[in-house]
């Protein structure tokens, strides 16, 4: 507005005000999406929760992931001839 001084605003807050509480909540939201809350709140053993979390992060040592770390082995599935990915192993493989 003409005549009013320039003002610094924090664009991630609808009211434009910066608060550490808001930043903390914003960071928390990005770190644990709803998919992970579903896992962590499930009434299943902790080792299964950790396994599912790794699966969603694509951090299971499937052959395609091992190849990314220069593992020299065969990247195909032990049961069929497709490339072994987490998606293939748990959802796509016919066996
Ligand atoms: Zn397969």
């Amino acid at each position: 507005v003409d005549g009013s001084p320039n003002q610094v605003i924090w664009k991630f807050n609808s009211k434009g005000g910066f608060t550490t509480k808001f930043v903390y909540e914003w960071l928390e939201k990005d770190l644990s999406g709803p998919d992970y809350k579903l896992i962590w709140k499930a009434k299943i053993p902790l080792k299964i929760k950790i396994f599912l979390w790794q699966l969603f992060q694509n951090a299971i040592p499937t052959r395609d992931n091992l190849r990314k770390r220069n593992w020299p082995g065969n990247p195909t599935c032990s049961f069929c001839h497709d490339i072994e990915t987490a998606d293939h192993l748990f959802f796509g493989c016919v066996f």
Side-chain angles (χ1 to χ4, degrees):
V1 182
D2 287 337
S4 62
N6 287 338
Q7 191 179 9
V8 176
I9 63 156
W10 176 248
K11 73 173 185 173
F12 299 110
N13 187 340
S14 60
K15 291 172 186 164
F18 175 90
T19 63
T20 51
K21 181 177 181 283
F22 178 82
V23 173
Y24 182 79
E25 287 171 358
W26 185 62
L27 290 172
E28 279 279 290
K29 190 173 66 183
D30 276 7
L31 285 174
S32 59
D35 292 342
Y36 305 132
K37 277 184 183 165
L38 194 72
I39 292 171
W40 300 123
K41 289 186 176 186
K43 300 222 180 293
I44 53 177
L46 181 62
K47 65 181 177 184
I48 305 296
K49 290 181 187 182
I50 291 168
F51 182 80
L52 286 173
W53 181 73
Q54 287 178 319
L55 182 63
F56 280 100
Q57 301 285 320
N58 194 24
I60 302 291
T62 49
R63 294 176 177 208
D64 70 319
N65 281 337
L66 292 171
R67 285 298 290 258
K68 289 175 198 163
R69 297 174 195 165
N70 299 318
W71 175 67
N74 182 353
T76 57
C77 176
S78 298
F79 307 106
C80 65
H81 296 290
D82 286 350
I83 298 295
E84 187 191 275
T85 62
D87 193 45
H88 173 78
L89 201 56
F90 292 94
F91 306 106
C93 187
V94 291
F95 294 98

